[in-house]
Amino acid sequence: MTEHDEATDPDVEADAVPPQADELAFDVDDLPGGALAALEAVLMVADEPIPALRLATVLALPTARVEALLDELAAEYRGELGGRPRGFELRRAGEGWRIYSASPYADVVGRFVVDGQTARLTQAALETLAVIAYRQPVTRGQVSAVRGVNVDGVVRTLTARGLVAEIGTDPSSGAVLYATTGYFLERMGLSSLDELPPLAPYLPDIEGLEGVDQAIGDSR
């Protein structure tokens, strides 16, 4: 097979060719620490989860290899490859990967990080966020019915923080429907809503709250 044939042969996996390799003036494997260290360097400056495909493009490596490197780093940080467990961990969040402080050290990190009261969610906001997370998509009226108080201001706060978003309207009442966002998953360190703790059985079914939106005029 000629070089031209290999480039056009549909049986040759596209992932076998490093993406944008011509844009790099060096090979990441030639750097100190190799591709693993290069991957760490990128992850350390990321302020949001980075998909493996994007990391592969940046490093000019096959996506399959980058995914294997990510799994290796995550295992190394957990101490599964012979070293000590680290104070940080690499995990999936949303649709990408990001380095976080390890959960066993949350109390220590909490003493260091001083956000101030204005940066923290109130108890009311946390309760409202929980109802939306477990019963989404929901309207403000339905959330108010569960909590027993008006949640308009709290929902506006959660929306401004990027934790929930409007996703449409209820076909029967015209009320705005809310659901959690990808940023919510990121902040919670979850890959999907399926990883939420089993709290939902303790909340009333949304079907049992039919009509509350018309009663309080919960529309846009």
Side-chain angles (χ1 to χ4, degrees):
M1 178 181 295
T2 66
E3 182 178 350
H4 174 74
D5 292 336
E6 183 176 349
T8 58
D9 189 341
D11 295 330
V12 176
E13 296 185 3
D15 197 37
V17 181
Q20 300 182 2
D22 58 329
E23 295 185 8
L24 287 183
F26 52 84
D27 188 331
V28 292
D29 288 310
D30 294 333
L31 296 173
L36 276 174
L39 183 56
E40 283 181 311
V42 174
L43 289 167
M44 286 300 296
V45 300
D47 58 2
E48 62 182 6
I50 310 298
L53 178 59
R54 182 181 173 193
L55 291 168
T57 300
V58 170
L59 300 179
L61 293 174
T63 305
R65 184 183 175 196
V66 169
E67 290 175 339
L69 292 174
L70 289 165
D71 289 333
E72 182 178 346
L73 282 176
E76 179 183 342
Y77 298 160
R78 292 192 298 266
E80 297 175 359
L81 302 183
R84 66 171 177 82
R86 308 295 179 85
F88 52 88
E89 59 188 3
L90 175 63
R91 65 175 185 258
R92 291 183 184 272
E95 298 181 355
W97 292 78
R98 188 180 178 188
I99 292 176
Y100 297 85
S101 58
S103 54
Y105 313 106
D107 291 340
V108 177
V109 174
R111 294 184 63 180
F112 173 75
V113 178
V114 180
D115 289 331
Q117 277 304 121
T118 57
R120 298 192 182 102
L121 290 177
T122 63
Q123 184 66 29
L126 290 172
E127 292 174 2
T128 300
L129 182 58
V131 174
I132 295 174
Y134 283 97
R135 285 294 183 248
Q136 60 187 305
V138 292
T139 66
R140 292 195 309 270
Q142 291 168 337
V143 177
S144 294
V146 172
R147 294 202 56 236
V149 295
N150 186 290
V151 299
D152 289 2
V154 176
V155 171
R156 282 195 294 269
T157 297
L158 295 174
T159 303
R161 295 280 186 94
L163 296 169
V164 303
E166 300 178 5
I167 62 167
T169 57
D170 183 88
S172 60
S173 67
V176 177
L177 290 169
Y178 291 87
T180 54
T181 63
Y183 180 64
F184 166 79
L185 291 177
E186 175 191 338
R187 299 300 295 174
M188 294 293 291
L190 304 174
S191 297
S192 71
L193 293 172
D194 294 334
E195 297 179 8
L196 284 170
L199 174 66
Y202 299 97
L203 295 174
D205 291 332
I206 294 302
E207 290 77 8
L209 303 176
E210 185 176 356
V212 296
D213 298 317
Q214 290 92 336
I216 67 173
D218 182 26
S219 59
R220 186 182 296 273

